[in-house]
């Protein structure tokens, strides 16, 4: 197999955690690898995709890694050499696990690696957030851990919270159905009542505060919300039942739609087996096949490593 020039490693992310809509996100120990195999003439792209999304992603002109790479190069006034990229994807595509954020992070980090004066990840974040439209996947994707972020025009503020102890796992159940973020955002009402806004604000504040001090027993309440989940859980079979039932299962600390869905995220303490089983059983009961992952929190965020010298592999 050809040795890459650069290897990018990007984690999956679960945005929102229920009440932290467009604000909080968690990086998870499930990764895509993007290997840059060769640089080429501008406009010449070859993308090989293995694993998740292989059927959808191979057309280079629609590949978000390439779009983000070109956009970053143009933002910095750089020429953008063509690329040959091999994607080894483990993050399910269009399932609410941050596959778009991982592609944007990958594209921008490749462009950055070709700069004469590469920027730090922190300096890259505002551009990436503008490309993604909201910070809650892309910021934890780049930094790792659980992050609370806020974008104000072109400026970004964020706080990375401490990670939970090892006994806490993230169980992600991924059903065999796609829900696009666009459709999931269109399902939201333009207005909600003052009472529902207060309910959601209350849970979001409790979530951030409880996570910061390790009061994990509060998550069952804190991951509840009325801004998006009640509307989105109706978009795929089993969503409403999983939100309602899984929090009662032994070991479950809290459950939420992962990002804009349709994957579901449960945080567990102790053995995650019963929770994983309950989530998949409820999808099956609703005639939807699913698979699950038992993950931990990714601590490192996206990384790029130079593997070989460009001169050795440029055609
Ligand atoms: N916060 C976003 C949403 C994440 O829920 O629409 C989607 O990737």
């Amino acid at each position: 197999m050809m040795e890459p020039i650069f290897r990018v490693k990007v984690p999956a992310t679960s945005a929102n955690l229920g009440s932290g809509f467009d604000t909080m996100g968690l990086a998870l120990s499930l990764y895509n690898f993007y290997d840059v195999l060769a640089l080429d003439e501008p406009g010449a792209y070859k993308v090989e995709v293995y694993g998740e999304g292989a059927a959808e992603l191979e057309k280079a002109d629609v590949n978000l890694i390439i779009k983000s790479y070109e956009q970053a190069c143009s933002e910095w006034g750089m020429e953008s050499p063509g690329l040959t990229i091999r994607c080894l994807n483990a993050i399910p595509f269009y399932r609410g696990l941050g596959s778009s954020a991982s592609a944007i992070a990958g594209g921008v980090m490749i462009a950055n690696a070709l700069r004469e004066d590469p920027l730090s990840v922190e300096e890259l974040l505002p551009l990436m957030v503008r490309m993604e439209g909201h910070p809650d996947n892309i910021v934890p994707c780049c930094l790792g851990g659980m992050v609370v972020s806020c974008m104000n025009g072109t400026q970004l503020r964020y706080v990375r919270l401490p990670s939970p102890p090892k006994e806490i796992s993230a169980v992600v159940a991924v059903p065999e159905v796609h829900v696009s973020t666009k459709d999931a955002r269109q399902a939201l009402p333009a207005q909600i009542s003052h009472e529902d806004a207060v309910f959601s604000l209350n849970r979001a504040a409790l979530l951030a505060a409880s996570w910061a001090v390790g009061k994990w027993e509060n998550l069952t309440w804190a991951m509840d919300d009325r801004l998006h989940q009640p509307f989105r859980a109706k978009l795929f079979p089993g969503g409403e039942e999983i939100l309602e039932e899984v929090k009662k299962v032994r070991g479950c600390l809290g459950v939420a739609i992962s990002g804009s869905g349709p994957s579901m995220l449960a945080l567990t303490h102790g053995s995650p087996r019963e929770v994983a089983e309950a989530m998949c059983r409820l999808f099956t009961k609703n005639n939807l096949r699913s698979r699950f992952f038992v993950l931990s929190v990714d601590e490192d965020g996206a990384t790029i490593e130079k593997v070989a010298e460009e001169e050795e592999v440029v055609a």
Side-chain angles (χ1 to χ4, degrees), residues 15-16 21-23 96 132 134 136-137 181 184-185 228 232 259-260:
N16 304 329
F21 181 63
D22 277 0
T23 302
E132 170 83 334
H134 32 80
D136 48 340
N137 284 112
T181 298
R185 292 186 88 85
H228 69 114
R232 289 174 162 180
S260 57

Side-chain angles (χ1 to χ4, degrees), residues 211-285:
W211 198 289
V213 299
K215 281 198 135 231
W216 308 108
E217 67 279 14
N218 285 349
L219 296 191
T220 319
W221 288 20
M223 289 169 73
D224 210 356
D225 98 298
R226 292 189 187 161
L227 274 185
H228 69 114
Q229 296 192 123
F231 314 102
R232 289 174 162 180
K234 296 182 202 306
L235 297 180
F236 53 95
E240 288 175 299
E241 227 172 323
I242 291 176
L243 280 183
E244 194 47 45
E245 296 303 323
V246 171
K247 59 185 159 200
K248 299 175 196 158
V249 176
R250 190 161 54 129
C252 184
L253 293 168
V255 60
I257 298 177
S258 182
S260 57
S263 298
M264 303 295 295
L265 167 83
L267 294 169
T268 62
H269 187 263
S271 166
R273 200 183 62 82
E274 284 176 50
V275 171
E277 200 177 6
M279 291 165 98
C280 291
R281 186 168 19 84
L282 289 167
F283 274 131
T284 304
K285 186 180 157 204

Side-chain angles (χ1 to χ4, degrees), residues 49 51-60 62-63 93-95 178:
V49 184
E52 299 288 339
E56 296 97 330
L57 290 173
E58 267 192 6
K59 267 183 80 185
V62 297
N63 187 296
F93 186 61
Y94 271 162
R95 302 298 217 289
H178 286 179

